[in-house]
Amino acid sequence: MKYAQDIANATQEIFSSMIMLDVVPGEPFQRDGTKLLNGISGIIGLAGEVKGLLSIHLPNKASLDITTAFLGMDVEEVDEDVCDAVGELANMLGGSIKTILDPSGSKVQISMPSAIHGEEYAVDCLTDSESVAVPFTFNDQTFTVELQIGPKSL
Amino acid sequence: MEFAKKIVETTEEIFSTMIFMDIASEPPFEEGKQVLGCHVSAMIGLTGSFSGMLGIHCPENVGLAISGAMLDMEIDEINADVKDALGEIANMAAGGIKERFAAENIDLELAIPTAISGKSYTISSPTKSNRLIIPFRVEQGRFFIEMKYNLN
């Protein structure tokens, strides 16, 4: 899908300006239904002329480091602060992608974010949608940002 | 805005017309309660006059029973059919809520549904948002319809 570069740019900009972390994008891929282990995901819906879902999937350790950098406080376990920080990351990424999908600013809106965490879970898209995932690395850690765009909306 | 009433009406309508299962709503949980012991969920974002997210959360046996009834087939594990069925229920529930709000001139748009499944997961909403969870009882146990929202 064509949005891989936009996802890379949006994610790098948010991480460098809000979290003070340099993240490096890797080769875009199609995420299959692989289970996520000991991780946390932030999701946010896009609705209006374009319908979709933006998600960020992080191993626990990456979420703790990012939350620590983001909030400027030490966090040691995936708690409410981490869930809020990951939800807020999804919110910022969703807002940034929205401006790319909808330059006029009036045709697409973002929903409320939600965070999912656990020892073993899967996040699957259901509609017959197009999707692209971009992996990122920072300080030997990785995370993935994924965009799914629903049918009939492109 | 009578969220609870809209959710109960919509859910009862879906189960009586599309799934043909008897359900009974129980009193809503308010703030801060986690839905525990669920193995399959579907969620969908809502935007417009307010932003929100609607979810359906089921323990495994209840998820299998609901999707089996909806698809009229025997299902013995959480597979793509179960996720699709719950995603469709989330989509229909959000659509029903959208219609009910539209009658009050409150406009909403729907995103696309996503499924969460696994042995152990917890779903959180932003600390400052409103969250309403309504349990529904079926023969096999309970499932939960959750609505979280921020009034803009």
Side-chain angles (χ1 to χ4, degrees):
Chain A
M1 195 165 66
K2 60 182 175 174
Y3 295 111
Q5 190 58 47
D6 296 313
I7 293 170
N9 294 345
T11 307
Q12 282 186 301
E13 189 188 323
I14 286 165
F15 272 80
S16 68
S17 65
M18 304 295 296
I19 309 176
M20 312 299 162
L21 276 176
D22 285 326
V23 299
V24 181
E27 202 56 37
F29 67 107
Q30 293 269 308
R31 209 175 63 85
D32 53 21
T34 317
K35 285 193 173 132
L36 301 155
L37 302 175
N38 297 310
I40 177 163
S41 299
I43 63 172
I44 189 161
L46 296 151
E49 228 164 68
V50 178
K51 292 182 191 301
L53 184 83
L54 185 127
S55 45
I56 175 168
H57 308 290
L58 308 125
N60 283 346
K61 177 77 170 73
S63 76
L64 297 179
D65 288 3
I66 287 168
T67 305
T68 298
F70 190 24
L71 302 181
M73 56 189 252
D74 274 329
V75 287
E76 281 163 11
E77 55 172 4
V78 176
D79 58 9
E80 200 173 77
D81 288 330
V82 176
C83 292
D84 269 1
V86 171
E88 183 51 30
L89 258 179
N91 196 35
M92 291 190 291
L93 287 164
S96 182
I97 293 296
K98 170 194 136 51
T99 63
I100 291 156
L101 296 171
D102 174 30
S104 74
S106 57
K107 294 174 189 148
V108 179
Q109 289 177 297
I110 53 176
S111 76
M112 171 174 292
S114 198
I116 299 122
H117 68 94
E119 286 168 23
E120 183 190 324
Y121 63 97
V123 179
D124 299 299
C125 195
L126 298 166
T127 324
D128 183 19
S129 63
E130 275 194 80
S131 74
V132 65
V134 181
F136 292 87
T137 52
F138 68 98
N139 302 344
D140 295 333
Q141 303 204 49
T142 61
F143 65 90
T144 303
V145 177
E146 183 178 23
L147 176 66
Q148 300 165 333
I149 304 274
K152 287 181 281 176
S153 62
L154 278 179
Chain B
M1 298 176 74
E2 299 192 295
F3 274 97
K5 179 164 177 272
K6 289 183 174 68
I7 293 169
V8 170
E9 281 177 7
T10 301
T11 308
E12 285 175 346
E13 190 178 288
I14 294 166
F15 274 76
S16 68
T17 62
M18 306 289 298
I19 308 177
F20 307 109
M21 266 176 104
D22 289 328
I23 61 172
S25 63
E26 295 186 353
F29 300 156
E30 298 293 337
E31 279 305 289
K33 292 260 173 65
Q34 301 275 12
V35 180
L36 295 172
C38 287
H39 307 105
V40 60
S41 301
M43 299 172 74
I44 183 165
L46 293 144
T47 69
S49 299
F50 61 85
S51 70
M53 199 172 271
L54 179 136
I56 174 168
H57 309 291
C58 305
E60 179 167 359
N61 65 325
V62 175
L64 297 180
I66 291 172
S67 42
M70 185 170 166
L71 302 173
D72 194 19
M73 57 197 260
E74 284 280 323
I75 304 177
D76 53 15
E77 58 168 355
I78 295 173
N79 57 19
D81 288 332
V82 176
K83 295 173 190 176
D84 279 348
L86 288 183
E88 188 50 33
I89 294 170
N91 205 24
M92 289 190 291
I97 286 164
K98 172 185 160 151
E99 263 178 42
R100 285 170 171 79
F101 275 114
E104 300 169 10
N105 293 317
I106 296 170
D107 292 321
L108 294 171
E109 293 284 344
L110 310 187
I112 55 177
T114 189
I116 321 288
S117 56
K119 282 184 200 146
S120 91
Y121 60 86
T122 305
I123 297 175
S124 334
S125 45
T127 312
K128 286 175 191 153
S129 63
N130 304 293
R131 189 180 204 187
L132 181 68
I133 297 173
I134 303 182
F136 289 88
R137 186 159 288 285
V138 294
E139 192 191 328
Q140 293 81 2
R142 292 200 299 180
F143 69 92
F144 305 88
I145 301 276
E146 174 195 26
M147 179 82 197
K148 37 201 176 191
Y149 60 95
N150 263 335
L151 302 178
N152 293 338

